[in-house]
Amino acid sequence: MFRPDQDDRSDAVTCPGDAAVLAHAHPKAHIMTTRSFLRSGHTPTLFASFLYFDLSFMVWVLLGPLGVAIAKDFDLDPAQKGFMVAVPVLSGALLRLVAGVLVDRIGPKKTGIIGQLIVLAGLLIAWTLGVHNYSQVLVLGLLLGVAGASFAVALPLASRWYPPEHQGLALGIAGAGNSGTGLAALFAPGLAKMFGWGNVIGLAAIPLAVALVVYIFLAKDAPEQPAPKKLTEYLDVLKVPDAWWLMLLYAVTFGGFVGLSSSLTIYFNAEYGLDPVIAGFFTAACVFAGSFIRPVGGALADRIGGVRTLGTVYVLAAIGLAAASFHMPSAWIALAVMIFAMSALGAGNGAVFQLAPQRFRKEIGVVTGLIGMTGGLGGFYLASSLGLARKLTGSYQAGFLAFAVLALLALVALLGLKNHWRAVWPTLQDGDSAVPVRL
């Protein structure tokens, strides 16, 4: 856990530009930073957070990679397919707020164990009894949302062990667990072809159970835990405008990421005629690109500031989404465009969570839940709007362009906020904090 006397970065600065100059002036700065990072936190907990998050996300978006097979069995139209993959995203978004409150009241470790047990029970019940119609698929989607709420557990679990100057990297590593959506895309379509999509639901319980065992033995709550508050006090954070702005910024970056993660297997199959297994491989490539660049986005935000990093991200994401709205000459070109867009969104996810703990360190559990909730809402909007656009116009273009516009609106909001944040946030730090705010 971070203690003020642990910080040996006496040359820390507030200005991101100065930070970049400082890093350039000291070639060994990267090695020193890595050693400081390893000393300051709890590596087993960080690994457990990542694995728990990774396999929970694999289960959360399971309906997306299985969507082609499910749609064939139940004769679903594009709007129904879009809504089907969006329901778990919406459920997970709403449950993240619940998980965030539980994290601050009973601790992240206990909250995570409860959530995993619920998801495991649900998967086994669905596999045993079977899923026989579209309505039951939607009910299963609601249950899978519990796995999506893992976001509000894994990030506070890791965050509370690390000091402010390492928040971007720590949360980037834990948050890279969203690569689990890639695992679902990589394996679920092939397993569905071999064993049937209903049996994939049962098979998914196996790695989830392994992750739970690892989590129980390796994860540890940080000694620094906030004192329990009344439930109404947790909502006081909604009176702070900065919370709403961070929620909006994440609705675009994570919303874009998870919305595409849930939809791309169906998209590549419908738009380019790819076999579901190949479409799953394409989707996995996009997801892994966006997931594993998340720590890079967090580390870059630690170095040059989250505001500057996010500004670049929104421009690149808007370009990528706008390009994706056009039908490409080949699926391979479409894949390259999607990887570009997903990489930008993934880096943005890391940058947002470099900013959030600096502003709301004491309320990080509930703030993570709120920010994660709006991120999920953004994903629900994108996934459902893509299906609706396809049904109404015969093309996904309107859905992609609308989200590209949202990225540009987020950029405008960020540009309007940055000077205010840089002036005010340093004044909000605890008096015993030895580390300045990095924006």
Side-chain angles (χ1 to χ4, degrees):
M1 186 190 71
F2 167 64
R3 298 187 302 272
D5 61 345
Q6 284 180 313
D7 181 36
D8 57 1
R9 293 171 59 91
S10 59
D11 56 352
V13 293
T14 303
C15 173
D18 290 344
V21 172
L22 180 64
H24 180 74
H26 296 278
K28 296 182 179 179
H30 177 71
I31 296 176
M32 294 173 62
T33 299
T34 301
R35 291 175 178 172
S36 174
F37 176 79
L38 294 174
R39 289 199 310 267
S40 64
H42 191 254
T43 302
T45 295
L46 185 60
F47 172 75
S49 298
F50 165 80
L51 185 64
Y52 158 74
F53 192 21
D54 194 54
L55 296 181
S56 292
F57 260 45
M58 178 194 72
V59 171
W60 185 32
V61 301
L62 195 59
L63 294 184
L66 297 178
V68 176
I70 295 173
K72 183 179 180 181
D73 280 359
F74 299 135
D75 193 26
L76 305 183
D77 63 38
Q80 288 176 312
K81 287 188 283 187
F83 187 70
M84 174 184 68
V85 301
V87 164
V89 180
L90 177 63
S91 175
L94 299 177
L95 290 172
R96 285 178 178 190
L97 180 58
V98 177
V101 173
L102 286 175
V103 162
D104 280 347
R105 292 186 68 83
I106 67 174
K109 183 171 182 177
K110 290 181 181 177
T111 304
I113 292 172
I114 292 170
Q116 287 286 64
L117 291 174
I118 291 173
V119 176
L120 280 169
L123 288 172
L124 293 175
I125 290 172
W127 174 61
T128 302
L129 300 181
V131 180
H132 304 292
N133 54 54
Y134 181 60
S135 296
Q136 291 179 357
V137 173
L138 298 182
V139 172
L140 175 62
L142 291 173
L143 177 69
L144 295 182
V146 178
S150 61
F151 172 93
V153 177
L155 269 63
L157 180 65
S159 173
R160 289 175 178 172
W161 280 101
Y162 290 88
E165 73 269 27
H166 293 312
Q167 285 292 314
L169 181 56
L171 293 181
I173 292 172
N178 55 28
S179 62
T181 56
L183 295 177
L186 192 61
F187 296 111
L191 290 172
K193 182 172 284 190
M194 289 188 290
F195 304 110
W197 63 265
N199 287 321
V200 176
I201 295 171
L203 290 172
I206 297 174
L208 200 66
V210 173
L212 176 60
V213 172
V214 173
Y215 183 84
I216 290 172
F217 283 100
L218 293 187
K220 183 179 179 182
D221 287 335
E224 180 187 296
Q225 299 289 329
K229 302 177 183 178
K230 296 179 181 178
L231 292 178
T232 54
E233 290 182 290
Y234 288 106
L235 299 180
D236 287 344
V237 72
L238 291 175
K239 300 176 184 178
V240 182
D242 288 343
W244 288 95
W245 286 118
L246 290 170
M247 290 158 63
L248 170 67
L249 298 177
Y250 200 66
V252 174
T253 59
F254 185 76
F257 176 87
V258 75
L260 290 176
S261 299
S262 301
S263 305
L264 284 182
T265 301
I266 295 173
Y267 165 80
F268 283 122
N269 172 260
E271 193 77 359
Y272 295 96
L274 299 184
D275 178 83
V277 175
I278 303 301
F281 291 160
F282 274 46
T283 301
C286 298
V287 171
F288 287 138
S291 298
F292 292 120
I293 204 170
R294 179 170 180 152
V296 177
L300 185 62
D302 283 339
R303 174 163 295 191
I304 69 171
V307 169
R308 184 179 297 179
T309 303
L310 271 177
T312 303
V313 159
Y314 287 130
V315 172
L316 297 178
I319 293 172
L321 291 167
S325 72
F326 296 94
H327 187 86
M328 297 296 157
S330 75
W332 289 102
I333 297 176
L335 173 63
V337 171
M338 285 298 181
I339 287 176
F340 176 84
M342 289 284 273
S343 296
L345 294 167
N349 292 336
V352 171
F353 274 92
Q354 184 266 352
L355 294 171
Q358 297 188 78
R359 178 61 179 84
F360 295 102
R361 185 167 182 83
K362 290 184 178 180
E363 305 89 357
I364 190 61
V366 71
V367 167
T368 299
L370 287 168
I371 294 175
M373 178 186 71
T374 52
L377 292 176
F380 171 79
Y381 163 75
L382 178 57
S384 57
S385 67
L386 286 173
L388 187 61
R390 173 79 177 187
K391 180 180 180 179
L392 296 178
T393 68
S395 168
Y396 292 105
Q397 185 173 52
F400 282 120
L401 287 177
F403 212 80
V405 171
L406 288 179
L408 294 177
L409 291 176
L411 173 64
V412 171
L414 185 67
L415 293 176
L417 290 166
K418 65 178 183 178
N419 290 334
H420 172 73
W421 283 358
R422 287 170 176 165
V424 173
W425 283 18
T427 68
L428 302 176
Q429 298 300 296
D430 293 335
D432 61 349
S433 176
V435 183
V437 169
R438 294 177 180 272
L439 299 177

